Amino acid sequence: MLHFTIYHNNEHIKTYEIDSPNITVGRLPENDIPIASISVSRRHLRIEQDTTRQYILTDLNSLNGTFVNNQKVSITKLSDGDKITIGKYGILFEIASDDSEVVETSIIDKKDTPLSPEHAAKPTMKVNVVDGKEPPPDDVVDITDKTPMLIETSKHVVYKIDKPVMSIGSSENDDIFVEGFLISDGHVLIEQDSEGTWIHANKLMGKVKINGKKENKHKLVHKDQIEIGTSIFRYMENGQN
C-alpha cells in the first residue's frame, strides 16, 4: 500500500492510500491523484513499479517540472519518505505494509528542508474551505498580482491571462481545458491588444455565452461571466476584487 500525503505551502490537505502499480498525478480529474491547480500540468507525472518492485517516478514533460527532495528530476527511483514537489504543492511518498500504520508527522520534521521554497511575504486573500469538501486549489491568491485572470467558479481554479493569445477547448494542447457537447480543440480564443482583452469563438458559426448572452466576439470587462461547455468562468481584471 502506498500513502501520498498532499500539502499546500506545508499545510496538510489530504492523504491518499493507493494499491496500484501505476499511478498518475495531474490537474485532470481522471488522474489517480488530481491536483486542480494551474501550476500542475494535466498529466504531470507517473509513478510505476518496475520488474524489481522498485517505484519509479517519471515527469511527463510537465510545464513547471517535478522535484524530489528539492532536486529537479525527469525520472528517478523513489524511496520511502521522499518528498515530491510540484509548484506550491508537496507530496510525501510513503510505502506501508498492510499491517503497518502510518503516523502522520510534520512535513518539516520528516526531512531537514521544507517541501517548497520560502515565499516572500505578500498581502494575501484566504479562500474558505467548505467542511466535508477538498480545499479549493491555489487557496492563497496574491491580490497584488495585476495580471487579468479567469476563475473557473465551480472548481475555484485560477487561470492567468499572461499570453497575447490563449485558447480554450477540449484538447490537452489548449491553454484552458473544458468539456461539453460540441466543444472542440481551440474552441474559444482570448486575445489581448492595446484596446483590452477580447474573447471570441474560433469556429465557424460558433458562439460563446457572455453574461447569459451568446456572442461571437466580446471585449471583456471586470466580473464578466463566461460559459463554455460545462465550465463557468468569471473574468477578473488587473487584480481587482
Side-chain angles (χ1 to χ4, degrees):
M1 180 71 70
L2 299 179
H3 292 253
F4 298 86
T5 307
I6 314 301
Y7 292 82
H8 181 278
N9 287 339
N10 294 323
E11 293 184 9
H12 175 249
I13 293 177
K14 187 173 182 178
T15 298
Y16 291 87
E17 295 184 357
I18 301 176
D19 185 12
S20 173
N22 195 321
I23 298 162
T24 59
V25 180
R27 192 169 75 240
L28 293 177
E30 56 260 37
N31 287 284
D32 299 289
I33 301 177
I35 303 177
S37 167
I38 190 62
S39 65
V40 180
S41 295
R42 295 180 178 92
R43 291 181 177 86
H44 199 101
L45 64 88
R46 180 178 64 247
I47 298 171
E48 56 190 343
Q49 199 173 42
D50 66 11
T51 55
T52 65
R53 301 183 66 82
Q54 298 289 324
Y55 290 97
I56 307 299
L57 180 149
T58 303
D59 181 88
L60 302 177
N61 298 315
S62 65
L63 180 62
N64 292 319
T66 300
F67 294 78
V68 175
N69 300 328
N70 297 324
Q71 297 293 319
K72 190 172 184 178
V73 300
S74 56
I75 183 169
T76 189
K77 182 178 74 173
L78 288 176
S79 300
D80 183 47
D82 278 347
K83 299 174 300 188
I84 305 165
T85 306
I86 306 172
K88 296 180 181 179
Y89 288 83
I91 304 173
L92 177 61
F93 174 79
E94 294 177 292
I95 304 171
S97 61
D98 292 338
D99 58 351
S100 65
E101 181 179 355
V102 174
V103 179
E104 189 172 306
T105 61
S106 166
I107 195 66
I108 297 180
D109 292 339
K110 195 72 179 179
K111 296 285 184 179
D112 292 333
T113 53
L115 281 167
S116 55
E118 291 293 327
H119 296 278
K122 297 178 181 179
T124 58
M125 176 178 62
K126 292 291 289 183
V127 179
N128 292 330
V129 178
V130 179
D131 290 340
K133 296 183 179 180
E134 292 186 42
D138 288 338
D139 52 358
V140 179
V141 179
D142 179 8
I143 62 174
T144 65
D145 193 342
K146 300 302 181 183
T147 306
M149 61 187 68
L150 290 181
I151 300 176
E152 190 167 359
T153 56
S154 61
K155 299 178 181 178
H156 301 279
V157 180
V158 177
Y159 299 94
K160 291 185 179 180
I161 304 175
D162 53 5
K163 297 196 296 186
V165 180
M166 295 181 65
S167 64
I168 303 176
S170 60
S171 167
E172 288 192 18
N173 295 321
D174 287 308
D175 296 291
I176 301 174
F177 177 81
V178 297
E179 297 178 302
F181 182 62
L182 297 180
I183 298 297
S184 58
D185 61 308
H187 195 83
V188 170
L189 292 182
I190 297 179
E191 298 182 275
Q192 297 187 81
D193 61 21
S194 59
E195 296 182 4
T197 303
W198 299 81
I199 185 169
H200 64 86
N202 193 36
K203 301 297 180 180
L204 184 65
M205 304 298 292
K207 299 285 185 179
V208 57
K209 188 176 287 187
I210 309 293
N211 301 323
K213 180 181 178 182
K214 291 184 177 181
E215 300 190 38
N216 180 263
K217 186 173 183 179
H218 174 83
K219 182 180 178 181
L220 290 169
V221 297
H222 186 54
K223 293 189 176 180
D224 270 350
Q225 180 175 288
I226 304 160
E227 297 179 52
I228 304 170
T230 59
S231 298
I232 299 177
F233 301 89
R234 182 74 69 180
Y235 174 70
M236 306 299 285
E237 189 172 51
N238 298 326
Q240 297 182 56
N241 294 322

